[in-house]
Amino acid sequence: MGVIACIRRRVLSNEEKKIILNKESYRKDIQERISRIPIENYRNFSIVAHVDHGKSTLSDRLLEETGVIQPGENKQVLDKLDVERERGITVKAQTVSMIHKDPETGEDYLLHLVDTPGHVDFRAEVSRSYASCGGALLLVDASQGVQAQTVANFYLAYSMGLKLIPIINKIDLDSANIPRAMDQVEETFELSRDDCIAVSAKTGLNVSSIIPSVIKNIPAPTGDENKPLKALLVDSWHDPYLGVVSLVHVVDGKMKKGMKILSAHTDKVYEVKEVGIMYPDKMPMYQIKAGQVAYLVPGMRNPREALVGDTFFQYGKHEGLEPLPGFEEPKPMVFLGAFPADGAEFNVMDDQMQNLVLNDRSVHLEKETSNALGLGWRLGFLGSLHASVFKERLENEYGAKIILTAPTVPYKIVYRNGTEEIITNPDGFPDAKGQVNVEQYMEPYVHAIMSVPGEYVGTVMTLCLNNRGIQKEIEYLNTGQVLLKFELPMAQLVEDFFGQLKGCTKGYASLDYEDAGYRRSDIVKMELCVNGEPQDALTTILHRSQAQSRGKEYVTRFKKFLRFQLFEVVIQAKVNNKVVARETIKAKRKDVTQKLHAADISRYKKLLERQKEGKKQMKAAGRVNIGNDAYQAFLRRND
């Protein structure tokens, strides 16, 4: 106790006092400077780009340009998560504020750069981030040209009315073809090539031209700080010290510490603990006001209450106010069963799982029990990349070893009495008796956009058709790239479709997709049975046309992981109690005739008959105990 008291009473050195005073003085200077900037001089923008086109590098250069960070001081400032840095993707929406002084007029401008995820799995965060922006930088790689994700995100940004400024990046590369990239921007997006800004984010070449273009072309926010408070919740994360931290776009009014705010969708009241801007890390401010994209600590204990797209009002001044548009609950589209590799670690891993979900409320989590694998969880994700990122974060941040069952998608069942049911677990699929009451089965489809080199078009079309795809459109670009648009069942997409696409195009293809709703489908439940006993961990839902081939593959593979028994073991794949594939593991047999030499043939037959009878009784009474390692080995391919 005395040691702690001594630490608390420790007198700060003059150097430490000086650092603290300098930081406080710097914060007050920034606060004073921002308070004098009118809303007409605000600019909110994001960067629209395909994976690995240099979005994070360009963000760093813009922060250096405006003095937020020192040149070469930091890398990938907006990518906070390890998995974002490793994979070169953005998972969580982030923001950073910048102050730019116009050299001609001497006026200050407040710029908010909202970093958005690019992948479709995180489309909810993307659309909310775009809603807080007035424009976007459309980033195109000079060497690779326009790719699928660029196209998909362009359409989303364009549909939301954002002003787009085309940026041609990586012009320092030997393979860069700037005129070709400009032609593509002009043809694909119908944006003038004269508006294109050619830069190298890596070297900083011509990056200084971007901010003046943002100020000139992107409109200022239209909010009014004198109106009642309306703030859009863009994203949220969990801080171990502050609790829930929310990223908000203040549309109207002001927000300050101590104010009571009301959530439009949960009707819960919170007291604001802290407000501020990201510069580039959290910098507390006296207040935030209309037009700003800033952070808020609402004193919220449960992260599940932070609904992306929610609206905050000032409590007591909210009567008659309408919530801002665009709120929607995240809909999981890929479901997995997750089980600890060591069942004894369930409780420890459950705590880790709950902590990870705090930072990602779009993960659907509930506990489930499997006869084969014991206690585990049913996890729902926005897509296959989302599931992969979650698993990687669990392993990287907590060192957890986890077994995932084969992914499944939510199927819709329409009954004859008009009711509908969404099935996310194969165990919930109707059995043979229950199917009498079913009117139709439906499965989710997606609109897929793929950009591939011209020589691989035939291969990719064959891949799509083999995965039950429906061709919608084909567009040839002047770069030798081809844009293919297909409708694909979501179930095919989550089964390593992207891996197959990359494989058949030597890694050159890119893919993006969006939800296309439910379509009628002939789907069935396939059970893997061992001596007539269904194995719930290996039950799957698939299209009837795939039952035969998938059943054969499953029984052949599972046979490799089962041990020999003293009796015959039959592995069957069944659909509606009809066997579609079968494998048999022969019984382990002893040579009961080995002691006989020149005995009569009838003696041989008698011993063999007796052994046969014994094997029959053993098979009738025996049970096959399948070890956890057999399930793990079988499912590891689906991780």
Side-chain angles (χ1 to χ4, degrees):
M1 186 67 188
V3 175
I4 295 172
C6 287
I7 292 171
R8 284 176 177 165
R9 288 199 302 268
R10 185 177 73 84
V11 178
L12 294 172
S13 68
N14 289 333
E15 191 64 33
E16 287 172 321
K17 285 180 181 176
K18 192 175 178 182
I19 290 170
I20 291 170
L21 287 171
N22 284 343
K23 281 186 177 178
E24 187 59 26
S25 173
Y26 179 65
R27 187 179 69 81
K28 285 183 177 177
D29 287 347
I30 295 291
Q31 186 166 294
E32 182 64 30
R33 198 172 167 189
I34 289 175
S35 67
R36 292 197 298 266
I37 302 176
I39 193 170
E40 294 79 28
N41 284 11
Y42 288 2
R43 298 292 184 272
N44 301 343
F45 67 100
S46 61
I47 302 177
V48 177
H50 187 79
V51 172
D52 202 32
H53 277 204
K55 182 167 68 166
S56 297
T57 309
L58 181 62
S59 301
D60 285 354
R61 293 296 85 74
L62 294 175
L63 295 180
E64 290 174 5
E65 191 74 22
T66 52
V68 178
I69 62 173
Q70 296 301 314
E73 176 189 274
N74 216 324
K75 300 293 180 190
Q76 295 175 275
V77 172
L78 294 177
D79 289 342
K80 309 283 188 190
L81 303 176
D82 290 340
V83 70
E84 292 181 315
R85 292 168 182 261
E86 288 167 11
R87 290 193 176 211
I89 60 173
T90 301
V91 173
K92 299 289 286 177
Q94 300 288 348
T95 186
V96 67
S97 300
M98 301 174 278
I99 302 173
H100 173 74
K101 188 166 188 173
D102 191 317
E104 293 181 9
T105 63
E107 285 186 87
D108 275 345
Y109 286 85
L110 182 63
L111 311 174
H112 295 112
L113 168 58
V114 183
D115 189 32
T116 62
H119 197 274
V120 68
D121 285 3
F122 310 104
R123 190 52 53 89
E125 281 94 335
V126 176
S127 58
R128 296 290 63 75
S129 302
Y130 286 174
S132 61
C133 298
L137 305 180
L138 183 65
L139 197 61
V140 177
D141 188 322
S143 59
Q144 296 182 37
V146 171
Q147 293 192 286
Q149 215 166 285
T150 322
V151 176
N153 283 310
F154 163 80
Y155 285 132
L156 180 61
Y158 185 77
S159 69
M160 298 182 75
L162 268 62
K163 172 68 179 175
L164 294 158
I165 301 172
I167 308 290
I168 311 298
N169 191 26
K170 302 189 182 182
I171 60 172
D172 57 309
L173 297 179
D174 293 337
S175 56
N177 189 332
I178 302 169
R180 186 186 68 179
M182 288 182 173
D183 289 342
Q184 269 193 287
V185 166
E186 201 165 39
E187 290 176 17
T188 310
F189 305 127
E190 297 180 0
L191 298 172
S192 172
R193 63 188 299 119
D194 298 333
D195 295 335
C196 292
I197 303 173
V199 304
S200 168
K202 185 178 179 181
T203 64
L205 177 65
N206 210 25
V207 171
S208 57
S209 307
I210 294 177
I211 289 178
S213 181
V214 167
I215 291 170
K216 180 183 175 184
N217 296 302
I218 292 178
T222 56
D224 186 345
E225 64 180 83
N226 298 313
K227 284 185 177 180
L229 175 69
K230 271 190 185 182
L232 176 74
L233 176 57
V234 176
D235 203 354
S236 66
W237 61 93
H238 188 265
D239 186 287
Y241 303 106
L242 299 173
V244 178
V245 181
S246 298
L247 187 64
V248 293
H249 172 221
V250 185
V251 176
D252 286 318
K254 300 174 184 173
M255 194 183 289
K256 60 178 72 174
K257 184 178 177 179
M259 178 186 281
K260 288 194 172 179
I261 56 173
L262 171 74
S263 161
H265 292 279
T266 65
D267 283 331
K268 295 198 174 182
V269 179
Y270 307 98
E271 185 175 333
V272 178
K273 305 295 183 188
E274 183 179 306
V275 294
I277 61 169
M278 304 297 287
Y279 196 85
D281 295 315
K282 291 191 288 292
M283 180 184 280
M285 306 291 284
Y286 167 68
Q287 69 175 16
I288 53 177
K289 57 186 181 180
Q292 292 185 1
V293 181
Y295 78 87
L296 153 74
V297 180
M300 191 183 291
R301 293 184 180 180
N302 184 0
R304 296 269 151 189
E305 295 171 13
L307 308 176
V308 172
D310 197 358
T311 304
F312 287 133
F313 301 125
Q314 183 176 356
Y315 184 64
K317 296 185 180 179
H318 61 279
E319 296 297 328
L321 294 179
E322 289 291 322
L324 295 164
F327 172 74
E328 59 179 87
E329 274 289 326
K331 291 188 297 183
M333 291 304 289
V334 176
F335 290 85
L336 305 168
F339 300 88
D342 181 357
E345 296 197 356
F346 174 79
N347 290 330
V348 175
M349 202 178 290
D350 190 44
D351 290 339
Q352 296 170 348
M353 196 80 78
Q354 298 289 351
N355 285 338
L356 202 51
V357 170
L358 290 179
N359 265 333
D360 195 348
R361 68 167 307 278
S362 53
V363 176
H364 173 82
L365 175 69
E366 61 182 45
K367 292 179 184 176
E368 78 167 2
T369 306
S370 163
N371 295 333
L373 299 172
L375 288 171
W377 308 267
R378 194 75 190 163
L379 295 167
F381 299 99
L382 300 173
S384 50
L385 175 72
H386 189 202
S388 174
V389 165
F390 187 88
K391 178 175 180 283
E392 194 168 315
R393 286 184 65 191
L394 194 66
E395 290 177 344
N396 289 354
E397 295 173 30
Y398 297 103
K401 296 300 177 193
I402 197 164
I403 306 295
L404 297 181
T405 62
T408 184
V409 298
Y411 294 97
K412 185 185 287 185
I413 298 176
V414 182
Y415 292 98
R416 295 189 190 278
N417 60 9
T419 59
E420 294 181 354
E421 184 183 7
I422 299 290
I423 299 292
T424 59
N425 191 330
D427 284 346
F429 200 81
D431 55 19
K433 290 180 182 177
Q435 289 180 18
V436 177
N437 303 317
V438 175
E439 176 71 33
Q440 62 178 2
Y441 298 102
M442 303 182 81
E443 68 173 321
Y445 271 68
V446 295
H447 294 298
I449 301 175
M450 290 156 280
S451 68
V452 299
E455 63 263 34
Y456 299 115
V457 170
T459 313
V460 173
M461 289 178 75
T462 303
L463 174 68
C464 293
L465 294 171
N466 288 342
N467 281 275
R468 301 191 285 128
I470 304 164
Q471 186 182 333
K472 289 295 176 185
E473 199 176 321
I474 184 166
E475 181 183 344
Y476 289 86
L477 305 177
N478 61 359
T479 55
Q481 291 277 322
V482 180
L483 282 180
L484 290 169
K485 296 182 183 179
F486 269 80
E487 283 186 358
L488 289 165
M490 184 75 181
Q492 301 297 131
L493 207 68
V494 302
E495 288 189 355
D496 197 34
F497 177 83
F498 189 54
Q500 294 175 43
L501 179 66
K502 285 286 186 184
C504 72
T505 60
K506 297 183 181 176
Y508 287 110
S510 62
L511 166 74
D512 200 60
Y513 59 90
E514 61 182 19
D515 184 26
Y518 282 87
R519 305 281 169 83
R520 186 168 188 158
S521 183
D522 186 11
I523 53 175
V524 292
K525 177 167 79 170
M526 187 177 78
E527 295 177 304
L528 204 64
C529 302
V530 177
N531 276 3
E533 290 287 324
Q535 307 301 307
D536 63 342
L538 309 179
T539 300
T540 185
I541 299 173
L542 39 69
H543 194 265
R544 192 182 296 274
S545 63
Q546 298 172 307
Q548 196 89 33
S549 59
R550 190 73 60 81
K552 182 65 179 170
E553 180 202 338
Y554 269 38
V555 296
T556 306
R557 273 190 35 229
F558 196 50
K559 179 182 177 181
K560 296 175 185 175
F561 306 116
L562 291 185
R563 296 173 186 166
F564 284 97
Q565 305 290 330
L566 292 174
F567 51 89
E568 186 178 84
V569 177
V570 177
I571 308 168
Q572 297 169 316
K574 289 184 178 180
V575 172
N576 294 335
N577 287 330
K578 180 186 174 185
V579 178
V580 294
R582 169 183 169 135
E583 283 285 342
T584 304
I585 302 176
K586 296 294 183 184
K588 211 173 186 178
R589 302 176 72 95
K590 179 183 178 183
D591 185 3
V592 292
T593 63
Q594 63 181 336
K595 292 180 181 179
L596 300 179
H597 299 288
D600 183 60
I601 188 67
S602 60
R603 179 66 176 151
Y604 275 94
K605 286 184 178 179
K606 186 178 178 182
L607 288 171
L608 291 172
E609 283 296 323
R610 190 180 296 172
Q611 184 188 46
K612 188 178 177 183
E613 192 63 36
K615 294 289 183 187
K616 193 181 292 184
Q617 289 178 8
M618 208 181 283
K619 183 178 180 181
R623 284 178 61 87
V624 181
N625 290 320
I626 304 170
N628 228 17
D629 54 343
Y631 290 110
Q632 289 181 27
F634 181 83
L635 292 169
R636 196 162 289 130
R637 180 183 162 190
N638 298 314
D639 278 7

